């Protein structure tokens, strides 16, 4: 480009010296056009570089959020069946109220199940917060952008709010009711410290106690909603992981 520019300058000087104004004007126009083309090319190259940098940033952030979601999906995948088992135990305990003969081993097992469960779920939102800080509009795939906002801005917030503000409060209520209903004795376990042992003196009287109904009613209904929230987050994460994988391989 610079060599062509110098060539036009030499031609211009030669034409001026020969007093050929019309030809000089033609070459002057060509020189201006060449300068404009050079500027446009430089701008285009700069745009290409900026787009390349922006795309590289986008793919890097998507890769990071996908890596984190893969771990969170596994956590949710482990929790959901566990909580479903607890819900099943609540259902079995409710059905025992109509049993003519209550199996003490079964009663003991399901009481232990509902007594021993808790829930602690921590979702890593750092990669999404980084994307949001840099501007969600930098995610060019509109479907991925929408699903990211939907997942982290709605579903995860609802799940965490429910677990922290409802489910955990009911867990404390469950503990209080269980200790009112059941005799529990500490039992040493070699190499594992101390565990608890449920003493079932009169299973029939236990399931007929109004507090037993209160335990099942107050503690089981939040659990179903918790499973619902966890499942919704898990399903959307699975969809997003697949979408991002496709985006990264394009």
């Amino acid at each position: 480009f610079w060599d062509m520019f110098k060539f036009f300058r030499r031609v211009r000087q030669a034409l001026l010296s020969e007093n050929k104004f019309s030809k000089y004007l033609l070459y002057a126009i060509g020189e201006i056009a060449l300068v404009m083309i050079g500027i446009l090319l430089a701008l285009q190259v700069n745009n290409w570089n900026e787009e390349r940098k922006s795309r590289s940033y986008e793919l890097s952030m998507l890769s990071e959020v996908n890596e984190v979601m893969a771990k969170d999906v596994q956590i949710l995948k482990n929790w959901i069946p566990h909580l479903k088992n607890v819900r099943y135990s609540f259902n079995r305990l409710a059905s025992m109220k109509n049993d003519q003969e209550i199996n003490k081993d079964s009663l003991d097992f399901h009481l232990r199940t509902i007594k021993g469960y808790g829930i602690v779920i921590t979702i890593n939102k750092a990669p999404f917060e980084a994307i949001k800080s840099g501007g969600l509009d930098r995610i060019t795939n509109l479907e991925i952008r929408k699903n990211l906002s939907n997942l982290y801005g709605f579903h995860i917030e609802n799940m965490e709010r429910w677990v922290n503000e409802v489910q955990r409060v009911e867990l404390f209520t469950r503990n209080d009711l269980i200790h009112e209903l059941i005799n529990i004795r500490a039992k040493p376990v070699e190499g594992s410290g101390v565990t608890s042992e449920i003493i079932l003196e009169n299973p029939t009287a236990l399931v007929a106690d109004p507090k037993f109904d209160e335990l099942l009613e107050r503690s089981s209904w939040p659990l179903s909603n918790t499973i619902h929230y966890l499942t919704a987050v898990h399903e959307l994460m699975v969809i997003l992981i697949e979408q991002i994988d496709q985006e990264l391989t394009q």
Side-chain angles (χ1 to χ4, degrees):
F1 171 76
W2 180 243
D3 290 340
M4 293 181 67
F5 181 72
K6 289 191 290 185
F7 168 75
F8 273 105
R9 290 189 62 184
R10 289 196 299 270
V11 171
R12 181 190 63 180
Q13 290 171 355
L15 290 174
L16 284 174
S17 64
E18 296 177 10
N19 199 23
K20 296 181 179 179
F21 179 76
S22 60
K23 290 186 177 180
Y24 163 70
L25 181 61
L26 179 63
Y27 278 99
I29 293 172
E31 188 174 336
I32 292 172
L34 184 62
V35 171
M36 293 299 296
I37 291 171
I39 293 172
L40 291 174
L41 284 174
L43 289 173
Q44 185 61 48
V45 169
N46 184 65
N47 287 339
W48 286 337
N49 286 334
E50 289 301 318
E51 288 176 4
R52 180 180 57 81
K53 291 178 182 178
S54 180
R55 181 60 174 170
S56 177
Y57 168 84
E58 177 188 6
L59 295 179
S60 174
M61 296 308 296
L62 287 177
S63 178
E64 187 174 341
V65 77
N66 231 28
E67 183 179 343
V68 165
M69 278 197 299
K71 297 177 181 177
D72 289 335
V73 159
Q74 191 58 47
I75 292 172
L76 294 171
K77 187 178 179 181
N78 293 335
W79 269 107
I80 292 169
H82 171 66
L83 295 178
K84 286 182 177 179
N85 287 336
V86 176
R87 183 174 62 183
Y88 174 76
S89 287
F90 273 112
N91 293 336
R92 289 298 302 132
L93 289 170
S95 69
M96 286 181 187
K97 291 181 64 63
N98 299 318
D99 289 350
Q100 297 297 320
E101 294 185 5
I102 299 173
N103 185 296
K104 287 185 65 175
D105 289 338
S106 179
L107 179 61
D108 178 81
F109 172 80
H110 293 301
L111 284 173
R112 285 180 179 279
T113 300
I114 69 168
K115 174 183 176 295
Y117 94 96
I119 180 168
V120 177
I121 294 179
T122 303
I123 299 296
N124 188 346
K125 297 186 283 291
F128 174 74
E129 292 300 327
I131 291 174
K132 191 166 69 171
S133 177
L136 272 172
D137 58 338
R138 298 183 71 173
I139 305 300
T140 55
N141 188 308
L142 297 181
E143 192 67 19
I144 290 177
R145 187 196 307 174
K146 181 189 75 175
N147 284 339
L148 280 172
S149 296
N150 197 24
L151 173 65
Y152 287 94
F154 179 74
H155 285 284
I156 289 178
E157 284 189 4
N158 283 349
M159 180 190 73
E160 291 181 335
R161 188 180 301 112
W162 179 266
V163 170
N164 293 327
E165 298 179 12
V166 179
Q167 181 67 68
R168 287 182 183 170
V169 172
E170 291 305 320
L171 289 177
F172 287 111
T173 303
R174 173 211 61 184
N175 290 343
D176 292 341
L177 287 170
I178 284 177
H179 282 87
E180 289 181 35
L181 280 165
I182 306 167
N183 293 324
I184 298 174
R185 181 173 59 194
K187 179 181 178 181
V189 177
E190 185 176 354
S192 302
V194 177
T195 186
S196 59
E197 181 180 22
I198 295 176
I199 309 300
L200 295 174
E201 296 175 349
N202 190 338
T204 303
L206 171 65
V207 299
D209 192 313
K211 286 191 177 297
F212 188 77
D213 290 310
E214 184 180 355
L215 170 66
L216 300 182
E217 181 183 358
R218 293 203 55 176
S219 299
S220 62
W221 73 266
L223 183 58
S224 292
N225 282 348
T226 299
I227 294 170
H228 168 76
Y229 283 118
L230 267 63
T231 301
V233 170
H234 178 269
E235 289 176 351
L236 188 50
M237 279 187 173
V238 170
I239 292 171
L240 253 173
I241 288 172
E242 183 177 349
Q243 289 178 332
I244 293 174
D245 279 340
Q246 292 176 357
E247 186 74 11
L248 295 175
T249 55
Q250 286 182 359

